């Protein structure tokens, strides 16, 4: 077994290595909890159990109390994993409340297990060598030189060397996609989310919140600001919250985020980037995020640029708002859902695919600069509450003044002690890649058009028969990806299929009109988005210096904690 949890950029604070027979565990640590003594690998009392972990276990103090007969060597939240294994064998994973990817080696019988958190917030890959070895890594670049085949380690699963296979440990009620019927209770939903945020304030390092000014990040910031005072983190770093936003000069997100920051009283950091800055970073983004998915790259690039700035301020952990749109049907194509059954099943599908999209983006774009991102909307307990609500309450009904994510907005619509200004609480869904500035996407398309010819597009299906790119932008990203990751295993890790405004193919079934405008931008949601694309508008290239002329307007040009595992048996 060979395990690589974290490559160097993902954990710059400590390097650790464990070796037993033909098994190796290597770890690069980003220290968030117990920086002084929590170096990995971590062990049980006699060091017969070794574990290397990328993640955070939020209920570790409660679990330690249940393990009073064990002696702990560090203050690390992840050390409980070794002791839980001693007590319960392989059947302890669901006891963990947190996000994690880990590999545990048992020297008593030279066996090992590997597991990934419920939704796949932390990345993990598994591969197999021709010599019979098994390899596990936080990034596929840790496997592509040594494995004949590798793939994403599925979320909510455990791999056991004793059984030489994967099995699912995460089996919530919603996973079966049966239609729930629990009436919507705004106070229950609000309390569940507040609990999810509060538990993520566990940190021994400076932290902040990513604030785009949209509903989701604004709620994360609001709840954090309310509950920060009195926490251990506040005693160490102060009770005034720091917030961070990125965008093109004058972008919708920058304006909204500044207003939310002033309302909440955060110390706000506004970062600007130009279209050219983003274009210059594309290759680095694809290398770190390990995808050729158009939506993911569009959104990862500003996040990647922002993370570099955040790290320069000494901040090592941030809270973010990923997951809400999947749970509550927040993407604009959900306006077209024909009934509550299809609405609910689509949210289930979206949550199950998060590890290939938003979780992958949020984790890898930040970890590229040694920052950890935490996502309270993807808390297990919160998901259970939110996914038990009768989906009739989640349906978008303009005649009843119910916009997307109405139940979440309603849960925090407190007249006496408001969480947010009304117009922010009811701001239309704006995808991150749009909200940072509309000319960002237009600029990417124009740049790709300079590097991909019509002749290249004619032969696209022969060059890339799997997930054939259907736009010049997609073709451009694919060329870069294949240069870094030429293996067939790598290209198979990226999902495909038609998409409108971050949809699955379901959107095409719900509204045939959208099939004529296949673009993952929220502005492709014709008849829904307030700034939807005009089908008559076109993108043309202006002469000279490769600048882009878009819709007759010239755009502004210019502004991690994971383990590394190797398993060979």
């Amino acid at each position: 077994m060979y395990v690589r949890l974290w490559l160097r950029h993902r954990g710059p604070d400590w390097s650790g290595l464990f070796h037993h027979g033909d098994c190796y565990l290597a770890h690069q640590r980003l220290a968030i909890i117990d920086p002084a003594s929590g170096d990995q690998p971590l062990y049980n009392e006699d060091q017969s159990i070794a574990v290397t972990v990328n993640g955070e276990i939020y209920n570790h103090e409660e679990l330690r109390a249940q393990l009073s007969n064990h002696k702990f060597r560090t203050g690390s939240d992840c050390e409980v994993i070794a002791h839980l294994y001693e007590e319960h064998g392989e059947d302890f994973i669901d006891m963990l409340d947190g996000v994690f990817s880990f590999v545990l080696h048992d020297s008593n019988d030279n066996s090992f297990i590997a597991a990934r958190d419920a939704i796949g917030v932390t990345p993990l890959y598994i591969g197999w060598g021709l010599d019979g070895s098994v390899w596990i890594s936080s990034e596929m670049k840790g496997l592509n030189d040594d494995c004949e085949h590798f793939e994403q380690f599925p979320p909510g699963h455990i791999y056991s060397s004793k059984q030489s296979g994967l099995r699912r440990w995460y089996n919530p009620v919603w996973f079966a996609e049966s239609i729930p019927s629990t009436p919507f209770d705004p106070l229950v939903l609000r309390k569940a989310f507040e609990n999810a945020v509060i538990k993520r304030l566990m940190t021994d390092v400076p932290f902040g919140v990513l604030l785009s000014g949209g509903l989701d990040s604004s709620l994360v910031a609001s709840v954090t600001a309310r509950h920060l005072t009195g926490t251990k983190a506040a005693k160490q770093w102060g009770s005034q919250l720091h917030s961070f936003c990125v965008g093109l000069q004058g972008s919708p997100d920058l304006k909204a985020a500044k207003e939310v920051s002033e309302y909440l009283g955060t110390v706000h950091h506004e970062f600007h980037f130009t279209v050219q800055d983003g274009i210059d970073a594309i290759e680095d983004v694809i290398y770190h995020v390990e995808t050729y998915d158009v939506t993911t790259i569009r959104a990862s690039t500003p996040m990647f640029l922002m993370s570099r700035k955040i790290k320069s301020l000494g901040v090592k952990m941030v809270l973010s708002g990923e997951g809400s749109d999947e749970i509550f049907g927040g993407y604009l194509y959900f306006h077209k859902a024909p009934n509550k059954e299809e609405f609910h099943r689509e949210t289930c599908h979206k949550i199950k695919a998060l590890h290939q999209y938003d979780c992958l983006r949020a984790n890898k774009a930040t970890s590229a600069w040694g920052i950890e991102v935490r996502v309270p909307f993807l808390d297990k307990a919160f998901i259970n509450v939110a996914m038990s609500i009768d989906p009739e309450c989640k349906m978008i009904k303009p005649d009843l003044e119910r916009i997307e994510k109405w139940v979440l907005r309603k849960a925090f619509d407190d007249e006496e002690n408001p969480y947010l200004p009304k117009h922010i609480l009811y701001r239309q869904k704006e995808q991150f890649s749009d909200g940072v500035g509309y000319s960002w996407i237009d600029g990417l398309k124009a740049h790709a058009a300079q590097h991909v010819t019509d002749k290249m597009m004619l032969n696209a299906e022969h060059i890339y028969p799997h997930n054939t790119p259907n736009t010049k932008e997609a073709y451009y990203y694919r060329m870069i990806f294949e240069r870094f990751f030429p293996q067939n295993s790598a290209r198979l890790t990226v999902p495909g299929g038609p998409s409108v405004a971050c949809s699955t193919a379901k959107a095409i079934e719900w509204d045939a009109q959208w099939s004529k405008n296949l673009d993952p931008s929220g502005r492709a949601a014709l008849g829904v988005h307030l700034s939807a694309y005009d089908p008559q508008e076109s993108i043309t290239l202006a002469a000279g210096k490769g600048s882009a002329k878009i819709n007759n307007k010239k755009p502004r040009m210019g502004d991690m904690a994971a383990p590394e595992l190797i398993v060979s048996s």
Side-chain angles (χ1 to χ4, degrees):
M1 169 189 77
Y2 300 92
V3 178
R4 296 187 177 124
L5 282 185
W6 287 102
L7 303 180
R8 181 61 182 170
H9 56 271
R10 296 179 61 89
D13 297 327
W14 171 264
S15 298
L17 178 67
F18 168 83
H19 172 213
H20 182 273
D22 59 355
C23 294
Y24 299 82
L25 275 66
H27 182 271
Q28 293 285 156
R29 185 186 184 207
L30 177 63
I32 304 295
I33 302 297
D34 187 24
S37 66
D39 297 330
Q40 298 195 34
L42 298 162
Y43 303 91
N44 65 336
E45 291 88 338
D46 64 5
Q47 299 195 14
S48 61
I49 310 297
V51 62
T52 182
V53 189
N54 165 26
E56 305 290 338
I57 309 302
Y58 301 120
N59 64 335
H60 74 103
E61 291 183 350
E62 173 188 331
L63 293 172
R64 281 174 181 252
Q66 298 173 17
L67 296 164
S68 57
N69 58 324
H70 287 257
K71 182 179 180 180
F72 286 78
R73 302 162 59 91
T74 75
S76 170
D77 53 301
C78 295
E79 188 181 341
V80 295
I81 293 174
H83 302 284
L84 286 171
Y85 175 81
E86 280 192 291
E87 289 288 329
H88 304 282
E90 298 179 359
D91 300 322
F92 71 91
I93 313 297
D94 204 21
M95 298 172 66
L96 301 174
D97 182 7
V99 297
F100 52 82
S101 296
F102 72 80
V103 172
L104 179 150
H105 179 263
D106 185 346
S107 299
N108 295 305
D109 57 7
N110 200 33
S111 65
F112 70 91
I113 60 172
R116 190 177 183 188
D117 67 71
I119 305 299
V121 174
T122 59
L124 198 65
Y125 296 83
I126 183 169
W128 295 267
L130 287 174
D131 60 355
S133 58
V134 178
W135 296 69
I136 300 172
S137 177
S138 291
E139 295 186 2
M140 66 182 180
K141 63 178 66 71
L143 305 180
N144 55 7
D145 291 336
D146 299 289
C147 297
E148 181 68 14
H149 174 74
F150 57 88
E151 59 194 43
Q152 286 212 27
F153 194 107
H157 279 71
I158 179 175
Y159 179 94
S160 171
S161 65
K162 295 177 181 178
Q163 301 177 14
S164 295
L166 290 152
R167 71 176 187 276
R168 170 168 288 282
W169 64 263
Y170 179 58
N171 294 289
V173 174
W174 67 266
F175 211 85
E177 301 181 13
S178 57
I179 311 304
S181 58
T182 303
F184 167 52
D185 186 328
L187 294 182
V188 170
L189 186 63
R190 181 197 299 181
K191 183 63 176 176
F193 183 67
E194 289 186 317
N195 288 341
V197 172
I198 291 168
K199 71 176 67 170
R200 282 163 177 78
L201 301 183
M202 177 186 79
T203 178
D204 292 328
V205 299
F207 78 103
V209 294
L210 303 186
L211 180 59
S212 71
L215 173 67
D216 307 327
S217 66
S218 297
L219 284 178
V220 171
S222 179
V223 174
T224 302
R226 286 193 177 208
H227 294 281
L228 181 57
T229 301
T231 64
K232 179 182 175 183
K235 293 176 183 177
Q236 286 184 288
W237 312 110
S239 58
Q240 192 167 23
L241 182 64
H242 287 252
S243 57
F244 309 96
C245 185
V246 66
L248 302 177
Q249 191 78 41
S251 72
D253 280 1
L254 290 179
K255 180 181 177 181
K258 183 177 180 181
E259 182 178 358
V260 174
S261 169
E262 291 174 351
Y263 184 82
L264 299 177
T266 69
V267 179
H268 193 54
H269 306 267
E270 184 178 283
F271 305 126
H272 299 163
F273 77 103
T274 64
V275 173
Q276 191 60 51
D277 290 335
I279 288 172
D280 291 343
I282 289 293
E283 291 201 9
D284 286 338
V285 168
I286 292 174
Y287 174 78
H288 282 287
V289 181
E290 302 182 318
T291 187
Y292 52 82
D293 175 69
V294 171
T295 309
T296 304
I297 294 168
R298 288 175 175 180
S300 294
T301 304
M303 198 169 197
F304 176 87
L305 294 173
M306 175 171 55
S307 297
R308 179 173 61 186
K309 301 270 192 177
I310 293 173
K311 184 59 180 288
S312 70
L313 298 176
V315 172
K316 297 176 70 173
M317 185 272 283
V318 292
L319 276 70
S320 190
E322 279 76 15
S324 173
D325 291 311
E326 288 73 17
I327 294 169
F328 295 104
Y331 293 112
L332 297 182
Y333 77 95
F334 277 91
H335 279 249
K336 303 294 184 178
N339 52 59
K340 72 175 187 179
E341 289 80 13
E342 288 210 35
F343 188 104
H344 179 73
R345 282 191 282 268
E346 181 69 357
T347 59
C348 293
H349 296 165
K350 292 292 287 184
I351 296 171
K352 292 175 183 179
L354 266 169
H355 67 288
Q356 297 175 302
Y357 296 101
D358 285 20
C359 288
L360 179 143
R361 165 185 55 79
N363 182 281
K364 292 184 178 180
T366 54
S367 292
W369 297 103
I371 293 176
E372 176 184 283
V373 66
R374 295 182 180 176
V375 284
F377 279 107
L378 297 181
D379 180 80
K380 280 197 304 181
F382 176 74
I383 292 176
N384 287 341
V385 170
M387 293 303 288
S388 69
I389 297 172
D390 187 335
E392 183 67 29
C393 302
K394 295 182 181 179
M395 291 282 286
I396 301 162
K397 298 185 176 182
D399 56 322
L400 298 178
E401 298 185 350
R402 292 186 182 180
I403 64 173
E404 64 278 356
K405 295 186 284 194
W406 177 81
V407 294
L408 181 62
R409 301 175 197 270
K410 188 67 175 175
F412 286 91
D413 194 348
D414 188 332
E415 295 286 351
E416 295 183 2
N417 190 15
Y419 285 75
L420 294 169
K422 279 277 190 183
H423 63 283
I424 296 292
L425 189 63
Y426 288 93
R427 182 187 176 197
Q428 184 182 57
K429 164 65 185 173
E430 193 76 87
Q431 289 168 207
F432 182 53
S433 52
D434 287 332
V436 296
Y438 290 141
S439 59
W440 165 233
I441 290 177
D442 295 336
L444 286 173
K445 290 180 177 180
H447 178 74
Q450 294 177 301
H451 292 80
V452 179
T453 66
D454 293 339
K455 184 178 180 180
M456 293 164 72
M457 290 302 298
L458 286 174
N459 294 317
E461 64 180 319
H462 303 293
I463 302 299
Y464 303 118
H466 175 74
N467 282 346
T468 303
N470 57 11
T471 67
K472 291 184 177 181
E473 185 186 5
Y475 195 109
Y476 178 65
Y477 299 154
R478 186 66 173 270
M479 288 193 299
I480 297 171
F481 177 88
E482 298 262 351
R483 190 165 74 246
F484 289 131
F485 308 105
Q487 302 87 348
N488 188 53
S489 291
R491 65 181 66 99
L492 292 176
T493 65
V494 182
S499 177
V500 175
C502 283
S503 75
T504 64
K506 269 292 177 184
I508 314 305
E509 296 179 22
W510 292 350
D511 191 333
Q513 176 192 12
W514 288 2
S515 65
K516 303 172 184 177
N517 195 35
L518 293 179
D519 188 286
S521 166
R523 287 184 295 154
L526 302 177
V528 175
H529 196 287
L530 296 177
S531 300
Y533 287 120
D534 181 341
Q536 302 304 315
E537 292 178 343
S538 63
I539 299 176
T540 59
L541 293 179
K545 297 184 179 180
S547 62
K549 187 177 181 183
I550 301 162
N551 299 338
N552 298 317
K553 296 180 182 179
K554 189 173 182 180
R556 291 172 291 275
M557 298 299 291
D559 212 39
M560 325 187 319
E564 188 170 317
L565 315 182
I566 308 177
V567 184
S568 153
S569 310

